[in-house]
């Protein structure tokens, strides 16, 4: 089975052929090394005040990169579609002002140049994981790419999508697990953490986890983030908003600043103690 | 959504009505308290030598309970079906000799009495999660029940199955997540850790995780076990066999003694460090 | 792949080894021959008046067997659990009075004798498809068994469950597809009709389809029934109730008498016409 | 539930607001009227001889439209990617020569103009169902669009993707069910025919079914096609190749000419007979 998954991947990041993990540089931050990386920020960039406030807050709580959507993929055409170029500029400025490299999604081949100019890490969203025209275009850019797993993508399809980027020249790929489609309506998606461990076994590429989209439920984001780090993820990407209840998108799953600080404590909490066997004599 | 999941559960273990976690006693071991519990042992009891050797080994590595199948639910009628009553006796003796309480599965209403006599914790397997006749029978016994989640069961159905035990009188219920059906053939099941956090939010019952069945792949068991503990599971149930390659069932996913010792180290390893933000001046 | 699915099945009903379809006799009705069979009746037997009225109505509309639940598997212990033995007697009498063989579910090994006495066809419900203790018990009875597919069962697991019945002696097995677990909350289950065609290719056993449970939506039952017959199913099992809105279980998916008559017309409607190619000269 | 699915769709094709079905013209062929439409042809256009031979053969067997891939979305970058513009020209010529309107997939926004010039119906592939940049571009073209359902898309998401086309001006949308992701490795995808009936209830848009991709197994394509027509689909799209075993893509699921002729007979075969109730007196 694993051989079947492995055979077509780029040799450079195939764990059979190299022992070295891929460490990807995003601005001055490294992803894939020993230190875990937390990316945080609002689902959508909504205004200068909002994105600057979020950048300052997440940095102060320990995040080292800033996220924010400018071009938003929304299920319905009548939902808020993002600020576009304006959002890109605001995100860039907030990142530079706080010293945080920025990540944002590109949805169109025609926006690749402008997004590449403004962003330090270019996100391919889950819905576009197999938008091969977009992947081929991103294979030529000088910036790293964050490749989210599609909600119905197998691990093999996910790694093959990364191949589209790498075969054409861009080996600066960071993978992101964000929940797969499952049958239980209790949560938005099914967080597939075992696949994170599997991918790290098959490939040298860094993998981060998005507990916000994966659970879609505020109270589960910190525990899920902690489990992601425990299983070996190289980092997290978390949605944080000054006033989640007023957010123009994903209101249900964004954390406020206090909740994000709590998350940063949760993921650092020591591992617990274990019960000891009962003495046979006394047992 | 959560209200819909919650409405029918037994008040005694509904987290809306009580702050106290349920701590379930299995022999002299407590599950659901601060100390995490590791249950380990072979998929099937195969002989006195095998089960005793396994009991000694898992105890020495830090396990506090012994598992072993006597009545085995197998997909095909031509596969090994377990040693039955003989296996039950061997498991009981190995447990008493090493001071480890024992857990084993009951598959038939007609075996409930004998299994209750020999086992400290009675397992309802995933395939029988909605075998309501069996649940009603187990609601009357004086021993705790380990209720595995069915591979296609929603969280609501899982908690409703626990209701069958509790409504009729047995509130000593421990839940166990062991992987749900997913679309990716890369792994045997999809380990649904977010649901563990969700169930702990909805119910006071302890929840343990079975990383052996959930992944079906030896190298992923320790990382998955670590993530389970990190997300808040109360313990683990792990398959360990003296010679996994000779096992009569589940050969692919049982750990040998050395691998189990490694697992016990993995789940105790400290949480990692995080990258620090770059200084704005220097950035 | 198919070889992997096939290898363990009983030779007698393995399509590699025999060309003859299995024709199973239920009372005086044959399932698996050229004539398709429609089983209909209420989800639960609720009273003498209800079951007799339903039996008369479904017979008059063209059904040849009567269904009705006496022992009901319900997700929650506080839902209506069926009339039990009393329901069994009422179903039997209604069947005898109208000349319709009757099918009902058995949930407990301990009820097998009494259900076998009263029913012409014994149903194993979807939740019990891998209740191997029950299957082994049913392998010894002199009545045919209707084996519903579990909502998370692969075709291989479904056929292996049938093996439990056949290996131990009961080859009078009728399979029933009733929807599998899917990710779309729009419908209750995902009706997997392609698997019906696949099973008919692999095995000689008859397969019927339950469009009521599979869709859970009244308006889709007749179209789904028609598609099931079109793909080669040997029959249908449909829920029909005198007053669906007052039903004690499955109110949403039971048909009233008029709707059932419509269904019987729908499944007989001729196949439609096809567009013709445009003449090249004129095109 | 249905109200939740319905609320955001374009009023013009919402079955609550209009009784008239949408009949879409593709060349001189109408889809969505009383006569069902069969689209057939190879997975990929491979050469002039191949596509012309296929066009002549499928027309002669009763197909009224020709399919053929020029730009191919392949899981791996090392698989055959299609002939591109050259393939488009060959498809166009074969269509004009045989009087069959042609359908082909567009994968990139930058190819929309050229594909619109050559094709009579523009396909959005399953992987691009939520490529919103592409949908917005196709909303402005004067040709109809065939919108395939994503393998993990809910019915609501599918109809919302159609909204992207319609809200911006292109109401000539034909939907296509081609199998969703399921858990059973026995077949490539799970054909979700009940959703076809559901979509026809919610929307006035035509829906066709692709049994080739949905099953991925040659022997099941004709039965699945017949069931699709029986449940109310407005047509079929089927992969047909002169020598399937030599095909450059999807070799396993393409039909040869004889098999396609058989399929055309299968979908026209009359519906079967039903068993009659046994006379009570004699029963």
């Amino acid at each position: 089975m694993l051989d079947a998954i492995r055979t077509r991947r780029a040799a450079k990041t195939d764990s059979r052929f190299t022992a070295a993990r891929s460490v990807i540089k995003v601005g001055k931050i490294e992803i894939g090394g020993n230190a875990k990386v937390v990316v945080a920020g609002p689902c959508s960039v909504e205004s200068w005040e909002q994105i600057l406030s979020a950048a300052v807050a997440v940095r102060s709580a320990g995040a080292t990169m800033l996220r924010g959507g400018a071009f938003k993929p929304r299920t319905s055409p009548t939902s808020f579609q993002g600020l576009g170029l304006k959002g890109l500029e605001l995100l860039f400025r907030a990142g530079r002002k706080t010293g945080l490299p920025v990540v944002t999604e590109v949805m169109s081949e025609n926006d690749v140049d402008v997004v590449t100019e403004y962003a330090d890490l270019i996100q391919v969203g889950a819905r576009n994981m197999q938008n091969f025209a977009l992947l081929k275009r991103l294979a030529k850019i000088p910036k790293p790419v964050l490749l989210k797993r599609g909600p119905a993508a197998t691990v093999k399809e996910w790694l093959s999508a990364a191949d589209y980027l790498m075969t054409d020249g861009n080996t600066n790929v960071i993978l992101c697990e964000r929940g797969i489609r499952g049958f239980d309506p209790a949560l938005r998606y099914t967080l597939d953490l075992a696949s994170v461990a599997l991918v790290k076994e098959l490939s040298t590429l860094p993998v981060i986890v998005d507990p916000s989209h994966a659970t879609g439920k505020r109270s589960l984001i910190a525990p899920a983030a902690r489990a992601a780090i425990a299983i070996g993820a190289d980092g997290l990407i978390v949605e944080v908003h000054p006033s989640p209840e007023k957010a123009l998108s994903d209101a249900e799953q964004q954390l406020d600043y206090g909740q994000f600080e709590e998350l940063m404590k949760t993921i650092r909490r020591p591992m617990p103690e274990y019960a000891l066997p009962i003495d046979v004599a006394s047992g």
Side-chain angles (χ1 to χ4, degrees), chain A residues 241-262:
Chain A
H241 191 281
S243 314
E245 71 288 357
K246 294 186 195 151
L248 297 181
S249 53
D250 280 353
E252 297 265 317
Q253 75 195 27
Q254 300 202 55
L255 302 181
D256 67 24
Y257 299 157
Q259 289 159 344
F260 181 62
E261 281 169 31
E262 273 308 306

Side-chain angles (χ1 to χ4, degrees), chain A residues 130-257:
Chain A
Q130 290 188 315
N131 178 343
F132 299 124
L134 183 62
L135 295 178
K136 286 178 178 177
R137 183 72 188 72
L138 292 171
K140 314 282 193 197
I141 65 167
K143 293 276 176 75
V145 174
L146 180 67
L147 182 64
K148 288 201 149 186
R149 180 183 184 184
T154 62
V155 163
K156 182 175 182 171
E157 289 167 339
W158 190 17
L159 290 173
S160 293
D163 277 356
Y164 269 89
L165 295 164
M166 296 191 290
T167 303
D168 279 1
N170 191 346
T171 53
N172 292 312
V173 178
I174 299 163
L175 301 168
C176 179
E177 155 66 21
R178 43 76 75 203
I180 55 175
R181 213 96 231 202
F183 58 78
D184 193 344
L187 296 177
R188 190 169 175 192
Y189 290 99
T190 301
L191 176 59
D192 184 11
L193 287 182
S195 76
V196 172
L198 178 61
V199 166
K200 299 232 15 157
E201 197 174 301
L202 294 167
S203 161
T204 68
L205 295 174
V207 187
I208 69 172
V209 169
D210 174 347
S212 306
H213 285 88
T215 63
K217 186 174 183 321
R218 201 164 285 127
S219 62
L220 299 186
I221 295 172
R226 179 172 158 82
I229 293 296
I231 212 168
D234 296 291
L236 301 166
I237 181 164
V238 181
E239 290 190 343
V240 180
H241 191 281
S243 314
E245 71 288 357
K246 294 186 195 151
L248 297 181
S249 53
D250 280 353
E252 297 265 317
Q253 75 195 27
Q254 300 202 55
L255 302 181
D256 67 24
Y257 299 157

Side-chain angles (χ1 to χ4, degrees), chain A residues 26-29 31 37-60 62-70 87-105 118-123 146 208 236-242 254 257 260:
Chain A
V26 180
K28 298 194 171 178
I29 298 292
I31 301 193
V37 173
V38 179
V39 185
C43 177
S44 301
V45 178
E46 297 171 3
S47 69
W48 172 241
E49 290 68 28
Q50 177 239 25
I51 190 65
L52 180 65
S53 163
V56 169
V58 301
R59 182 190 154 108
S60 141
T64 37
M65 284 187 59
L66 178 65
R67 64 151 287 153
L88 214 50
E89 290 167 347
L90 298 176
L91 177 70
F92 174 82
R93 282 173 50 202
R96 287 302 175 266
K97 199 164 176 95
T98 52
L100 300 175
V102 299
V103 53
T104 199
E105 178 167 353
Y118 282 110
D120 301 291
L121 176 62
I122 320 295
Q123 176 177 317
L146 180 67
I208 69 172
L236 301 166
I237 181 164
V238 181
E239 290 190 343
V240 180
H241 191 281
Q254 300 202 55
Y257 299 157
F260 181 62

